Amino acid sequence: MTVRIRPEPIVSSVAGALIAALNAELSALYPESGATHFRLDPEEVAPGRGAFVVAEREGEAVGCGAVRLLDAGTAELKRMYVAPAARGLGVGRALVDALEQEALRLGARRLVLETGIRQHAALALYRNAGYVAIPLYGEYVHSPGTSICLGKAVPGGGDEP
């Protein structure tokens, strides 16, 4: 099956349903106060500042992800999610690849992200895609018991993680 990645307004019902599923999963996995970082404002993924994309298989939305610029050279992957029934089918990797291309179009040379210590499949996905551990940054410094930050140079963009 082919995975199709397409832009989607973050305020759409499709995006809302995927984000709600992600939030529910993360809230159950990380009940600790301050362990979840759900904020992503629509203007952060507006053209020229970021992007929000949806992954489809057989016409069904099965995943999503976003990229936003943190500064002129650094972009952050956010809100990565693949529905449980679509995991292990290459959807997550297709999302990462598409978001890396969006970051390159935005002019980023470096990508960073945060994921949780209990998200073993996500950690494996990111590490297999070349991400390496970096110090906690931004709001994630307040959740050192549950957050792991990773980074890498944008393929084709240069720099170090």
Side-chain angles (χ1 to χ4, degrees), residues 79-117:
R79 310 302 5 233
M80 282 283 299
Y81 175 72
V82 176
R87 292 178 185 165
L89 303 175
V91 176
R93 184 56 192 245
L95 282 164
V96 169
D97 290 346
L99 292 169
E100 287 178 352
Q101 288 304 305
E102 289 292 335
L104 187 60
R105 278 191 279 283
L106 292 167
R109 296 177 312 280
R110 179 175 174 253
L111 275 163
V112 296
L113 65 90
E114 180 271 349
T115 193
I117 61 170

PDB file of all heavy atoms in Angstrom, residues 79-117:
ATOM      1  N   ARG A  79       3.850  16.982  16.887  1.00  0.00           N
ATOM      2  CA  ARG A  79       2.554  16.345  16.707  1.00  0.00           C
ATOM      3  C   ARG A  79       2.578  15.136  15.775  1.00  0.00           C
ATOM      4  O   ARG A  79       1.639  14.885  15.043  1.00  0.00           O
ATOM      5  CB  ARG A  79       1.502  17.352  16.223  1.00  0.00           C
ATOM      6  CG  ARG A  79       1.384  18.639  16.999  1.00  0.00           C
ATOM      7  CD  ARG A  79       1.083  18.692  18.486  1.00  0.00           C
ATOM      8  NE  ARG A  79       1.005  17.509  19.270  1.00  0.00           N
ATOM      9  CZ  ARG A  79      -0.008  17.160  20.060  1.00  0.00           C
ATOM     10  NH1 ARG A  79      -1.066  17.904  20.127  1.00  0.00           N
ATOM     11  NH2 ARG A  79       0.034  16.088  20.794  1.00  0.00           N
ATOM     12  N   MET A  80       3.681  14.391  15.829  1.00  0.00           N
ATOM     13  CA  MET A  80       3.795  13.162  15.041  1.00  0.00           C
ATOM     14  C   MET A  80       2.879  12.098  15.626  1.00  0.00           C
ATOM     15  O   MET A  80       2.915  11.827  16.821  1.00  0.00           O
ATOM     16  CB  MET A  80       5.236  12.653  15.072  1.00  0.00           C
ATOM     17  CG  MET A  80       6.181  13.389  14.163  1.00  0.00           C
ATOM     18  SD  MET A  80       6.009  12.923  12.443  1.00  0.00           S
ATOM     19  CE  MET A  80       6.410  11.188  12.504  1.00  0.00           C
ATOM     20  N   TYR A  81       2.080  11.492  14.754  1.00  0.00           N
ATOM     21  CA  TYR A  81       1.150  10.461  15.208  1.00  0.00           C
ATOM     22  C   TYR A  81       0.840   9.513  14.057  1.00  0.00           C
ATOM     23  O   TYR A  81       0.641   9.957  12.924  1.00  0.00           O
ATOM     24  CB  TYR A  81      -0.152  11.092  15.701  1.00  0.00           C
ATOM     25  CG  TYR A  81      -1.205  10.080  16.083  1.00  0.00           C
ATOM     26  CD1 TYR A  81      -1.075   9.307  17.235  1.00  0.00           C
ATOM     27  CD2 TYR A  81      -2.326   9.884  15.290  1.00  0.00           C
ATOM     28  CE1 TYR A  81      -2.037   8.376  17.590  1.00  0.00           C
ATOM     29  CE2 TYR A  81      -3.301   8.957  15.639  1.00  0.00           C
ATOM     30  CZ  TYR A  81      -3.141   8.206  16.783  1.00  0.00           C
ATOM     31  OH  TYR A  81      -4.103   7.275  17.131  1.00  0.00           O
ATOM     32  N   VAL A  82       0.785   8.233  14.375  1.00  0.00           N
ATOM     33  CA  VAL A  82       0.313   7.215  13.444  1.00  0.00           C
ATOM     34  C   VAL A  82      -0.715   6.381  14.201  1.00  0.00           C
ATOM     35  O   VAL A  82      -0.454   5.914  15.316  1.00  0.00           O
ATOM     36  CB  VAL A  82       1.466   6.327  12.925  1.00  0.00           C
ATOM     37  CG1 VAL A  82       0.934   5.206  12.037  1.00  0.00           C
ATOM     38  CG2 VAL A  82       2.489   7.167  12.168  1.00  0.00           C
ATOM     39  N   ALA A  83      -1.885   6.214  13.601  1.00  0.00           N
ATOM     40  CA  ALA A  83      -2.947   5.419  14.224  1.00  0.00           C
ATOM     41  C   ALA A  83      -2.434   4.003  14.487  1.00  0.00           C
ATOM     42  O   ALA A  83      -1.681   3.445  13.680  1.00  0.00           O
ATOM     43  CB  ALA A  83      -4.168   5.387  13.312  1.00  0.00           C
ATOM     44  N   PRO A  84      -2.823   3.398  15.604  1.00  0.00           N
ATOM     45  CA  PRO A  84      -2.313   2.067  15.956  1.00  0.00           C
ATOM     46  C   PRO A  84      -2.436   1.031  14.833  1.00  0.00           C
ATOM     47  O   PRO A  84      -1.506   0.253  14.613  1.00  0.00           O
ATOM     48  CB  PRO A  84      -3.147   1.684  17.183  1.00  0.00           C
ATOM     49  CG  PRO A  84      -3.454   3.003  17.827  1.00  0.00           C
ATOM     50  CD  PRO A  84      -3.675   3.953  16.669  1.00  0.00           C
ATOM     51  N   ALA A  85      -3.535   1.019  14.119  1.00  0.00           N
ATOM     52  CA  ALA A  85      -3.729   0.029  13.052  1.00  0.00           C
ATOM     53  C   ALA A  85      -2.775   0.213  11.879  1.00  0.00           C
ATOM     54  O   ALA A  85      -2.573  -0.714  11.091  1.00  0.00           O
ATOM     55  CB  ALA A  85      -5.175   0.077  12.555  1.00  0.00           C
ATOM     56  N   ALA A  86      -2.166   1.398  11.753  1.00  0.00           N
ATOM     57  CA  ALA A  86      -1.262   1.682  10.632  1.00  0.00           C
ATOM     58  C   ALA A  86       0.208   1.648  11.038  1.00  0.00           C
ATOM     59  O   ALA A  86       1.085   1.907  10.214  1.00  0.00           O
ATOM     60  CB  ALA A  86      -1.606   3.036  10.019  1.00  0.00           C
ATOM     61  N   ARG A  87       0.493   1.327  12.285  1.00  0.00           N
ATOM     62  CA  ARG A  87       1.883   1.302  12.739  1.00  0.00           C
ATOM     63  C   ARG A  87       2.616   0.096  12.162  1.00  0.00           C
ATOM     64  O   ARG A  87       2.031  -0.965  11.969  1.00  0.00           O
ATOM     65  CB  ARG A  87       1.936   1.304  14.264  1.00  0.00           C
ATOM     66  CG  ARG A  87       1.441   2.630  14.803  1.00  0.00           C
ATOM     67  CD  ARG A  87       1.411   2.733  16.293  1.00  0.00           C
ATOM     68  NE  ARG A  87       0.799   4.013  16.652  1.00  0.00           N
ATOM     69  CZ  ARG A  87       0.370   4.302  17.861  1.00  0.00           C
ATOM     70  NH1 ARG A  87       0.503   3.440  18.862  1.00  0.00           N
ATOM     71  NH2 ARG A  87      -0.181   5.482  18.086  1.00  0.00           N
ATOM     72  N   GLY A  88       3.902   0.301  11.896  1.00  0.00           N
ATOM     73  CA  GLY A  88       4.723  -0.759  11.329  1.00  0.00           C
ATOM     74  C   GLY A  88       4.580  -0.905   9.823  1.00  0.00           C
ATOM     75  O   GLY A  88       5.120  -1.834   9.241  1.00  0.00           O
ATOM     76  N   LEU A  89       3.873   0.024   9.190  1.00  0.00           N
ATOM     77  CA  LEU A  89       3.627  -0.051   7.752  1.00  0.00           C
ATOM     78  C   LEU A  89       4.377   1.026   6.962  1.00  0.00           C
ATOM     79  O   LEU A  89       4.112   1.212   5.780  1.00  0.00           O
ATOM     80  CB  LEU A  89       2.119   0.058   7.476  1.00  0.00           C
ATOM     81  CG  LEU A  89       1.229  -0.982   8.162  1.00  0.00           C
ATOM     82  CD1 LEU A  89      -0.238  -0.685   7.902  1.00  0.00           C
ATOM     83  CD2 LEU A  89       1.599  -2.381   7.683  1.00  0.00           C
ATOM     84  N   GLY A  90       5.283   1.745   7.617  1.00  0.00           N
ATOM     85  CA  GLY A  90       6.061   2.770   6.929  1.00  0.00           C
ATOM     86  C   GLY A  90       5.452   4.156   6.955  1.00  0.00           C
ATOM     87  O   GLY A  90       6.003   5.088   6.363  1.00  0.00           O
ATOM     88  N   VAL A  91       4.322   4.321   7.634  1.00  0.00           N
ATOM     89  CA  VAL A  91       3.657   5.624   7.680  1.00  0.00           C
ATOM     90  C   VAL A  91       4.511   6.639   8.433  1.00  0.00           C
ATOM     91  O   VAL A  91       4.697   7.770   7.987  1.00  0.00           O
ATOM     92  CB  VAL A  91       2.250   5.511   8.305  1.00  0.00           C
ATOM     93  CG1 VAL A  91       1.596   6.882   8.436  1.00  0.00           C
ATOM     94  CG2 VAL A  91       1.374   4.569   7.480  1.00  0.00           C
ATOM     95  N   GLY A  92       5.040   6.248   9.584  1.00  0.00           N
ATOM     96  CA  GLY A  92       5.865   7.155  10.377  1.00  0.00           C
ATOM     97  C   GLY A  92       7.091   7.621   9.613  1.00  0.00           C
ATOM     98  O   GLY A  92       7.423   8.811   9.621  1.00  0.00           O
ATOM     99  N   ARG A  93       7.750   6.716   8.927  1.00  0.00           N
ATOM    100  CA  ARG A  93       8.941   7.088   8.161  1.00  0.00           C
ATOM    101  C   ARG A  93       8.576   8.029   7.015  1.00  0.00           C
ATOM    102  O   ARG A  93       9.288   8.995   6.731  1.00  0.00           O
ATOM    103  CB  ARG A  93       9.657   5.841   7.630  1.00  0.00           C
ATOM    104  CG  ARG A  93      10.965   6.153   6.907  1.00  0.00           C
ATOM    105  CD  ARG A  93      11.899   6.954   7.842  1.00  0.00           C
ATOM    106  NE  ARG A  93      13.022   7.509   7.135  1.00  0.00           N
ATOM    107  CZ  ARG A  93      14.276   7.161   7.333  1.00  0.00           C
ATOM    108  NH1 ARG A  93      14.585   6.254   8.235  1.00  0.00           N
ATOM    109  NH2 ARG A  93      15.232   7.728   6.655  1.00  0.00           N
ATOM    110  N   ALA A  94       7.432   7.774   6.367  1.00  0.00           N
ATOM    111  CA  ALA A  94       6.986   8.658   5.288  1.00  0.00           C
ATOM    112  C   ALA A  94       6.700  10.054   5.820  1.00  0.00           C
ATOM    113  O   ALA A  94       7.024  11.058   5.170  1.00  0.00           O
ATOM    114  CB  ALA A  94       5.746   8.073   4.602  1.00  0.00           C
ATOM    115  N   LEU A  95       6.116  10.136   7.013  1.00  0.00           N
ATOM    116  CA  LEU A  95       5.859  11.436   7.626  1.00  0.00           C
ATOM    117  C   LEU A  95       7.162  12.163   7.935  1.00  0.00           C
ATOM    118  O   LEU A  95       7.313  13.351   7.631  1.00  0.00           O
ATOM    119  CB  LEU A  95       5.025  11.280   8.904  1.00  0.00           C
ATOM    120  CG  LEU A  95       3.543  11.051   8.713  1.00  0.00           C
ATOM    121  CD1 LEU A  95       2.905  10.533   9.994  1.00  0.00           C
ATOM    122  CD2 LEU A  95       2.859  12.335   8.247  1.00  0.00           C
ATOM    123  N   VAL A  96       8.113  11.463   8.545  1.00  0.00           N
ATOM    124  CA  VAL A  96       9.401  12.085   8.873  1.00  0.00           C
ATOM    125  C   VAL A  96      10.077  12.587   7.601  1.00  0.00           C
ATOM    126  O   VAL A  96      10.560  13.725   7.549  1.00  0.00           O
ATOM    127  CB  VAL A  96      10.316  11.112   9.647  1.00  0.00           C
ATOM    128  CG1 VAL A  96      11.741  11.649   9.751  1.00  0.00           C
ATOM    129  CG2 VAL A  96       9.753  10.851  11.046  1.00  0.00           C
ATOM    130  N   ASP A  97      10.103  11.763   6.563  1.00  0.00           N
ATOM    131  CA  ASP A  97      10.749  12.169   5.310  1.00  0.00           C
ATOM    132  C   ASP A  97      10.079  13.418   4.732  1.00  0.00           C
ATOM    133  O   ASP A  97      10.760  14.351   4.295  1.00  0.00           O
ATOM    134  CB  ASP A  97      10.694  11.035   4.285  1.00  0.00           C
ATOM    135  CG  ASP A  97      11.586   9.853   4.649  1.00  0.00           C
ATOM    136  OD1 ASP A  97      12.446   9.995   5.551  1.00  0.00           O
ATOM    137  OD2 ASP A  97      11.414   8.785   4.034  1.00  0.00           O
ATOM    138  N   ALA A  98       8.746  13.440   4.736  1.00  0.00           N
ATOM    139  CA  ALA A  98       8.016  14.595   4.189  1.00  0.00           C
ATOM    140  C   ALA A  98       8.282  15.849   5.012  1.00  0.00           C
ATOM    141  O   ALA A  98       8.472  16.939   4.460  1.00  0.00           O
ATOM    142  CB  ALA A  98       6.520  14.297   4.132  1.00  0.00           C
ATOM    143  N   LEU A  99       8.305  15.713   6.327  1.00  0.00           N
ATOM    144  CA  LEU A  99       8.543  16.874   7.184  1.00  0.00           C
ATOM    145  C   LEU A  99       9.983  17.370   7.066  1.00  0.00           C
ATOM    146  O   LEU A  99      10.233  18.577   7.146  1.00  0.00           O
ATOM    147  CB  LEU A  99       8.165  16.556   8.627  1.00  0.00           C
ATOM    148  CG  LEU A  99       6.662  16.350   8.842  1.00  0.00           C
ATOM    149  CD1 LEU A  99       6.397  15.779  10.226  1.00  0.00           C
ATOM    150  CD2 LEU A  99       5.891  17.636   8.614  1.00  0.00           C
ATOM    151  N   GLU A 100      10.919  16.471   6.852  1.00  0.00           N
ATOM    152  CA  GLU A 100      12.302  16.898   6.616  1.00  0.00           C
ATOM    153  C   GLU A 100      12.386  17.713   5.324  1.00  0.00           C
ATOM    154  O   GLU A 100      13.110  18.714   5.266  1.00  0.00           O
ATOM    155  CB  GLU A 100      13.240  15.695   6.566  1.00  0.00           C
ATOM    156  CG  GLU A 100      13.470  15.079   7.930  1.00  0.00           C
ATOM    157  CD  GLU A 100      14.359  13.849   7.906  1.00  0.00           C
ATOM    158  OE1 GLU A 100      14.701  13.346   6.802  1.00  0.00           O
ATOM    159  OE2 GLU A 100      14.721  13.380   8.998  1.00  0.00           O
ATOM    160  N   GLN A 101      11.654  17.321   4.305  1.00  0.00           N
ATOM    161  CA  GLN A 101      11.633  18.083   3.050  1.00  0.00           C
ATOM    162  C   GLN A 101      10.991  19.457   3.262  1.00  0.00           C
ATOM    163  O   GLN A 101      11.450  20.456   2.700  1.00  0.00           O
ATOM    164  CB  GLN A 101      10.905  17.295   1.957  1.00  0.00           C
ATOM    165  CG  GLN A 101      11.700  16.113   1.453  1.00  0.00           C
ATOM    166  CD  GLN A 101      13.072  16.525   0.942  1.00  0.00           C
ATOM    167  OE1 GLN A 101      13.204  17.388   0.084  1.00  0.00           O
ATOM    168  NE2 GLN A 101      14.118  15.919   1.496  1.00  0.00           N
ATOM    169  N   GLU A 102       9.931  19.499   4.071  1.00  0.00           N
ATOM    170  CA  GLU A 102       9.313  20.795   4.394  1.00  0.00           C
ATOM    171  C   GLU A 102      10.296  21.688   5.130  1.00  0.00           C
ATOM    172  O   GLU A 102      10.393  22.877   4.856  1.00  0.00           O
ATOM    173  CB  GLU A 102       8.045  20.593   5.234  1.00  0.00           C
ATOM    174  CG  GLU A 102       6.880  20.004   4.489  1.00  0.00           C
ATOM    175  CD  GLU A 102       6.304  20.933   3.434  1.00  0.00           C
ATOM    176  OE1 GLU A 102       6.444  22.173   3.546  1.00  0.00           O
ATOM    177  OE2 GLU A 102       5.712  20.414   2.477  1.00  0.00           O
ATOM    178  N   ALA A 103      11.051  21.114   6.072  1.00  0.00           N
ATOM    179  CA  ALA A 103      12.045  21.890   6.822  1.00  0.00           C
ATOM    180  C   ALA A 103      13.100  22.461   5.880  1.00  0.00           C
ATOM    181  O   ALA A 103      13.501  23.622   6.018  1.00  0.00           O
ATOM    182  CB  ALA A 103      12.695  21.013   7.890  1.00  0.00           C
ATOM    183  N   LEU A 104      13.532  21.672   4.927  1.00  0.00           N
ATOM    184  CA  LEU A 104      14.505  22.134   3.949  1.00  0.00           C
ATOM    185  C   LEU A 104      13.930  23.294   3.137  1.00  0.00           C
ATOM    186  O   LEU A 104      14.593  24.307   2.931  1.00  0.00           O
ATOM    187  CB  LEU A 104      14.912  20.978   3.034  1.00  0.00           C
ATOM    188  CG  LEU A 104      16.039  21.237   2.057  1.00  0.00           C
ATOM    189  CD1 LEU A 104      17.321  21.626   2.766  1.00  0.00           C
ATOM    190  CD2 LEU A 104      16.262  20.001   1.186  1.00  0.00           C
ATOM    191  N   ARG A 105      12.656  23.191   2.714  1.00  0.00           N
ATOM    192  CA  ARG A 105      12.013  24.275   1.968  1.00  0.00           C
ATOM    193  C   ARG A 105      11.908  25.551   2.808  1.00  0.00           C
ATOM    194  O   ARG A 105      11.932  26.651   2.282  1.00  0.00           O
ATOM    195  CB  ARG A 105      10.620  23.854   1.501  1.00  0.00           C
ATOM    196  CG  ARG A 105      10.645  23.028   0.227  1.00  0.00           C
ATOM    197  CD  ARG A 105       9.261  22.864  -0.356  1.00  0.00           C
ATOM    198  NE  ARG A 105       8.472  21.824   0.275  1.00  0.00           N
ATOM    199  CZ  ARG A 105       8.620  20.526   0.061  1.00  0.00           C
ATOM    200  NH1 ARG A 105       9.542  20.098  -0.774  1.00  0.00           N
ATOM    201  NH2 ARG A 105       7.855  19.658   0.672  1.00  0.00           N
ATOM    202  N   LEU A 106      11.774  25.380   4.119  1.00  0.00           N
ATOM    203  CA  LEU A 106      11.695  26.535   5.014  1.00  0.00           C
ATOM    204  C   LEU A 106      13.060  27.165   5.277  1.00  0.00           C
ATOM    205  O   LEU A 106      13.149  28.191   5.934  1.00  0.00           O
ATOM    206  CB  LEU A 106      11.058  26.124   6.345  1.00  0.00           C
ATOM    207  CG  LEU A 106       9.581  25.745   6.293  1.00  0.00           C
ATOM    208  CD1 LEU A 106       9.161  25.056   7.591  1.00  0.00           C
ATOM    209  CD2 LEU A 106       8.722  26.969   6.023  1.00  0.00           C
ATOM    210  N   GLY A 107      14.124  26.517   4.808  1.00  0.00           N
ATOM    211  CA  GLY A 107      15.467  27.043   4.998  1.00  0.00           C
ATOM    212  C   GLY A 107      16.182  26.522   6.223  1.00  0.00           C
ATOM    213  O   GLY A 107      17.272  26.986   6.558  1.00  0.00           O
ATOM    214  N   ALA A 108      15.590  25.552   6.919  1.00  0.00           N
ATOM    215  CA  ALA A 108      16.228  24.996   8.114  1.00  0.00           C
ATOM    216  C   ALA A 108      17.428  24.148   7.722  1.00  0.00           C
ATOM    217  O   ALA A 108      17.424  23.477   6.687  1.00  0.00           O
ATOM    218  CB  ALA A 108      15.228  24.161   8.910  1.00  0.00           C
ATOM    219  N   ARG A 109      18.442  24.187   8.554  1.00  0.00           N
ATOM    220  CA  ARG A 109      19.626  23.353   8.379  1.00  0.00           C
ATOM    221  C   ARG A 109      19.706  22.287   9.460  1.00  0.00           C
ATOM    222  O   ARG A 109      20.483  21.347   9.353  1.00  0.00           O
ATOM    223  CB  ARG A 109      20.885  24.213   8.405  1.00  0.00           C
ATOM    224  CG  ARG A 109      20.971  25.203   7.246  1.00  0.00           C
ATOM    225  CD  ARG A 109      22.196  26.102   7.331  1.00  0.00           C
ATOM    226  NE  ARG A 109      22.416  26.722   8.636  1.00  0.00           N
ATOM    227  CZ  ARG A 109      21.771  27.809   9.097  1.00  0.00           C
ATOM    228  NH1 ARG A 109      20.855  28.387   8.350  1.00  0.00           N
ATOM    229  NH2 ARG A 109      22.040  28.296  10.285  1.00  0.00           N
ATOM    230  N   ARG A 110      18.897  22.454  10.495  1.00  0.00           N
ATOM    231  CA  ARG A 110      18.931  21.559  11.653  1.00  0.00           C
ATOM    232  C   ARG A 110      17.496  21.261  12.066  1.00  0.00           C
ATOM    233  O   ARG A 110      16.641  22.153  12.056  1.00  0.00           O
ATOM    234  CB  ARG A 110      19.679  22.265  12.776  1.00  0.00           C
ATOM    235  CG  ARG A 110      19.790  21.518  14.052  1.00  0.00           C
ATOM    236  CD  ARG A 110      20.674  22.324  15.032  1.00  0.00           C
ATOM    237  NE  ARG A 110      20.685  21.695  16.319  1.00  0.00           N
ATOM    238  CZ  ARG A 110      20.052  22.162  17.398  1.00  0.00           C
ATOM    239  NH1 ARG A 110      19.390  23.293  17.339  1.00  0.00           N
ATOM    240  NH2 ARG A 110      20.117  21.518  18.537  1.00  0.00           N
ATOM    241  N   LEU A 111      17.243  20.015  12.436  1.00  0.00           N
ATOM    242  CA  LEU A 111      15.938  19.592  12.937  1.00  0.00           C
ATOM    243  C   LEU A 111      16.083  19.099  14.361  1.00  0.00           C
ATOM    244  O   LEU A 111      17.060  18.424  14.694  1.00  0.00           O
ATOM    245  CB  LEU A 111      15.387  18.433  12.092  1.00  0.00           C
ATOM    246  CG  LEU A 111      14.645  18.824  10.848  1.00  0.00           C
ATOM    247  CD1 LEU A 111      14.524  17.649   9.909  1.00  0.00           C
ATOM    248  CD2 LEU A 111      13.273  19.349  11.215  1.00  0.00           C
ATOM    249  N   VAL A 112      15.108  19.428  15.189  1.00  0.00           N
ATOM    250  CA  VAL A 112      15.063  18.938  16.562  1.00  0.00           C
ATOM    251  C   VAL A 112      13.657  18.426  16.841  1.00  0.00           C
ATOM    252  O   VAL A 112      12.701  18.756  16.127  1.00  0.00           O
ATOM    253  CB  VAL A 112      15.452  20.039  17.581  1.00  0.00           C
ATOM    254  CG1 VAL A 112      16.897  20.466  17.382  1.00  0.00           C
ATOM    255  CG2 VAL A 112      14.518  21.236  17.497  1.00  0.00           C
ATOM    256  N   LEU A 113      13.550  17.620  17.882  1.00  0.00           N
ATOM    257  CA  LEU A 113      12.244  17.115  18.297  1.00  0.00           C
ATOM    258  C   LEU A 113      12.319  16.638  19.731  1.00  0.00           C
ATOM    259  O   LEU A 113      13.395  16.410  20.265  1.00  0.00           O
ATOM    260  CB  LEU A 113      11.783  15.976  17.373  1.00  0.00           C
ATOM    261  CG  LEU A 113      12.615  14.691  17.377  1.00  0.00           C
ATOM    262  CD1 LEU A 113      12.104  13.689  18.417  1.00  0.00           C
ATOM    263  CD2 LEU A 113      12.584  14.052  16.005  1.00  0.00           C
ATOM    264  N   GLU A 114      11.149  16.494  20.313  1.00  0.00           N
ATOM    265  CA  GLU A 114      11.015  15.912  21.651  1.00  0.00           C
ATOM    266  C   GLU A 114      10.068  14.753  21.522  1.00  0.00           C
ATOM    267  O   GLU A 114       9.065  14.811  20.806  1.00  0.00           O
ATOM    268  CB  GLU A 114      10.453  16.946  22.632  1.00  0.00           C
ATOM    269  CG  GLU A 114      10.274  16.426  24.058  1.00  0.00           C
ATOM    270  CD  GLU A 114       8.920  15.787  24.349  1.00  0.00           C
ATOM    271  OE1 GLU A 114       7.983  15.896  23.535  1.00  0.00           O
ATOM    272  OE2 GLU A 114       8.783  15.152  25.409  1.00  0.00           O
ATOM    273  N   THR A 115      10.388  13.675  22.211  1.00  0.00           N
ATOM    274  CA  THR A 115       9.473  12.555  22.337  1.00  0.00           C
ATOM    275  C   THR A 115       9.590  12.048  23.762  1.00  0.00           C
ATOM    276  O   THR A 115      10.441  12.504  24.524  1.00  0.00           O
ATOM    277  CB  THR A 115       9.758  11.457  21.284  1.00  0.00           C
ATOM    278  OG1 THR A 115       8.662  10.535  21.267  1.00  0.00           O
ATOM    279  CG2 THR A 115      11.055  10.730  21.560  1.00  0.00           C
ATOM    280  N   GLY A 116       8.723  11.146  24.112  1.00  0.00           N
ATOM    281  CA  GLY A 116       8.707  10.662  25.484  1.00  0.00           C
ATOM    282  C   GLY A 116       9.504   9.385  25.674  1.00  0.00           C
ATOM    283  O   GLY A 116       9.705   8.608  24.735  1.00  0.00           O
ATOM    284  N   ILE A 117       9.939   9.175  26.899  1.00  0.00           N
ATOM    285  CA  ILE A 117      10.770   8.018  27.229  1.00  0.00           C
ATOM    286  C   ILE A 117      10.024   6.698  27.046  1.00  0.00           C
ATOM    287  O   ILE A 117      10.660   5.659  26.893  1.00  0.00           O
ATOM    288  CB  ILE A 117      11.305   8.117  28.675  1.00  0.00           C
ATOM    289  CG1 ILE A 117      10.147   8.139  29.677  1.00  0.00           C
ATOM    290  CG2 ILE A 117      12.217   9.326  28.832  1.00  0.00           C
ATOM    291  CD1 ILE A 117      10.570   7.989  31.128  1.00  0.00           C
TER     292      ILE A 117
END
